[in-house]
């Protein structure tokens, strides 16, 4: 089935294509991966920064960072997360971006707020906030303890958190990133507002999908003026979270389509869709997530999820505009050359990717 799909595509995986004002050298991108790699000054270790550059040097067109927390207060959920609001942080990332650009790549900073997926001990504010005072069902996989019940965000908290996104975007532009991605996926704060599973508010930020989308819209509208029109702004979305992974964050295909319609109306350049497996049927609709998203939006779609070789990359590209690789590009520095040569490649297991959360230097 994947081979049949790959024959249908009219997009060349390795041909240059235009995304906004950028001419990308191919349709292959490094997926953003949440990390815990900062040891000092909220700056990732040098080997992690070098990993990003090395992927650009080895042919990846779009390099997306690990998720950067949006403020110095309640955004942090894991130990060792990076920020981008001080001059020292800006200078470190400016060097990385210069090297990525020299290698022919385009760099994107992913920004997020962990919301309820956090514990107070690693949070500078020692406070967990979320749309509603509802903790995840599962235990924290890092501490094996229950997640604490978060504080339901006040209107002041909401406005203050949005300003955190703005300040980090300012840092990203000062550091020379080619664009930013607002992380609205995987059960983090923006996703928590979007899903009725975690958002049970009864004010203007809860209830209907229109209301639940309000926080996401206000974040994007607040940061857009700080992202020049010749730079890129993405929004990432998923139907699954990193905790309570078995839960469908949206009710059905219609709610997903309604959500995409809202995202499509945002002043963004592309929608990044994160899936477990790109080819899986979505909501019993007879379509995969990229197809379901495309049925509503004409914006460029980036897709990830079990893309590990030439066949899966080309099959995914049938319904999307760019493929993103996480585990394969994390563990195989020569992945682009290998798929171009049509080498037989296996799908890596999640356990193998745990190197990303150790101090072992990345290949």
């Amino acid at each position: 089935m994947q081979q049949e799909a790959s024959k249908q595509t009219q997009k060349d995986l390795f041909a240059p294509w235009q995304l906004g004002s950028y001419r990308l050298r191919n349709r292959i991108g490094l997926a953003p991966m949440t990390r815990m790699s900062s040891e000092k000054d909220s700056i990732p270790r040098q080997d992690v920064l070098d990993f990003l550059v090395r992927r650009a040097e080895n042919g990846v067109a779009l390099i997306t960072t690990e998720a950067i927390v949006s403020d110095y207060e309640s955004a942090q959920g894991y130990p060792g997360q990076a920020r981008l609001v001080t001059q020292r942080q800006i200078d470190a990332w400016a060097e990385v971006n210069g090297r990525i650009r020299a290698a022919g790549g385009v760099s994107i900073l992913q920004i997020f707020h962990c919301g309820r997926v956090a514990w107070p001990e690693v949070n500078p504010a020692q406070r967990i906030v979320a749309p509603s005072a509802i903790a995840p069902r599962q235990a924290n996989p890092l501490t094996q303890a229950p997640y604490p019940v978060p504080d339901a965000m006040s209107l002041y908290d909401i406005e203050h958190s949005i300003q955190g996104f703005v300040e980090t975007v300012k840092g990203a532009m000062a550091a020379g990133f080619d664009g930013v991605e607002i992380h609205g996926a995987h059960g983090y704060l923006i996703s928590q507002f979007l899903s009725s599973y975690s958002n049970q508010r009864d004010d203007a930020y809860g209830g209907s999908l229109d209301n639940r989308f309000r926080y996401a819209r206000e974040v994007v509208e607040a940061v857009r003026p700080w992202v020049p029109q010749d730079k890129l702004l993405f929004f990432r979305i998923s139907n699954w979270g990193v905790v309570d992974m078995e839960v469908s964050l949206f009710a059905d295909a219609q709610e997903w389509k309604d959500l995409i319609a809202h995202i499509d109306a945002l002043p963004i350049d592309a929608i990044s869709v994160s899936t477990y497996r790109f080819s899986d049927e979505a909501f019993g609709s007879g379509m995969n997530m990229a197809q379901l998203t495309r049925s509503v939006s004409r914006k460029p779609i980036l897709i990830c999820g079990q893309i590990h070789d030439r066949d899966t990359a080309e099959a995914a590209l049938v319904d999307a505009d760019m493929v993103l690789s996480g585990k394969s590009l994390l563990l195989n520095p020569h992945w682009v050359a290998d798929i171009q040569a049509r080498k037989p490649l296996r799908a890596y297991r999640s356990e193998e990717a745990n190197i990303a959360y150790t101090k072992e230097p990345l290949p």
Side-chain angles (χ1 to χ4, degrees), residues 191-245:
S191 176
Q192 291 161 29
F193 271 96
L194 293 175
S195 174
S196 60
Y197 175 65
S198 47
N199 182 350
Q200 298 181 15
R201 300 174 70 97
D202 58 7
D203 64 0
Y205 290 89
S208 68
L209 180 61
D210 287 357
N211 284 359
R212 284 183 275 126
F213 191 74
R214 180 178 177 180
Y215 182 76
R217 185 182 70 249
E218 290 182 350
V219 169
V220 172
E221 289 176 346
V223 305
R224 179 75 258 192
W226 299 99
V227 181
Q229 289 300 315
D230 63 344
K231 300 232 174 183
L232 298 168
L233 180 59
F234 300 163
F235 190 91
R236 195 165 215 223
I237 189 66
S238 72
N239 187 45
W240 62 280
V242 295
V243 296
D244 301 346
M245 296 180 74

Side-chain angles (χ1 to χ4, degrees), residues 20-200:
S21 62
Y22 290 86
R23 186 73 170 169
L24 276 66
R25 58 188 170 194
N26 56 45
R27 293 178 182 264
I28 301 167
L30 173 67
M33 290 170 275
T34 299
R35 302 289 303 282
M36 298 178 288
S37 65
S38 299
E39 296 181 331
K40 183 182 178 182
D41 297 328
S42 298
I43 299 169
R45 300 191 316 263
Q46 189 61 48
D47 70 283
V48 175
L49 300 178
D50 291 342
F51 154 79
L52 299 174
V53 175
R54 195 154 52 247
R55 295 310 181 265
E57 291 172 341
N58 290 355
V60 179
L62 190 75
I63 304 293
T64 310
T65 68
E66 62 193 82
I68 305 297
V69 294
S70 56
D71 61 48
Y72 260 110
E73 297 172 14
S74 60
Q76 184 171 352
Y78 307 106
Q81 290 185 291
R83 296 181 175 83
L84 189 46
V85 289
T86 71
Q87 191 61 52
R88 188 171 296 170
Q89 293 157 6
I90 289 168
D91 291 346
W93 281 107
E95 180 181 349
V96 174
N97 287 323
R99 294 170 64 196
I100 290 173
R101 194 169 297 109
V106 171
S107 60
I108 302 293
L109 181 86
Q110 188 189 62
I111 307 172
F112 79 153
H113 187 302
C114 288
R116 70 179 191 161
V117 186
W119 70 99
E121 289 77 10
V122 302
N123 193 298
Q126 297 189 340
R127 180 183 180 222
I128 308 303
V129 299
S132 302
I134 304 170
R137 295 175 187 171
Q138 76 171 70
N140 186 322
L142 297 177
T143 66
Q144 307 306 315
Y147 282 98
V149 176
D151 292 341
M153 295 173 76
S154 68
L155 296 182
Y156 173 84
D157 291 330
I158 288 173
E159 181 180 354
H160 191 61
S161 69
I162 291 172
Q163 286 307 305
F165 281 92
V166 172
E167 293 305 313
T168 301
V169 167
K170 290 180 182 178
M173 294 300 100
F177 277 93
D178 297 308
V180 297
E181 176 174 279
I182 303 300
H183 194 346
H186 302 165
Y188 295 117
L189 183 64
I190 294 176
S191 176
Q192 291 161 29
F193 271 96
L194 293 175
S195 174
S196 60
Y197 175 65
S198 47
N199 182 350
Q200 298 181 15

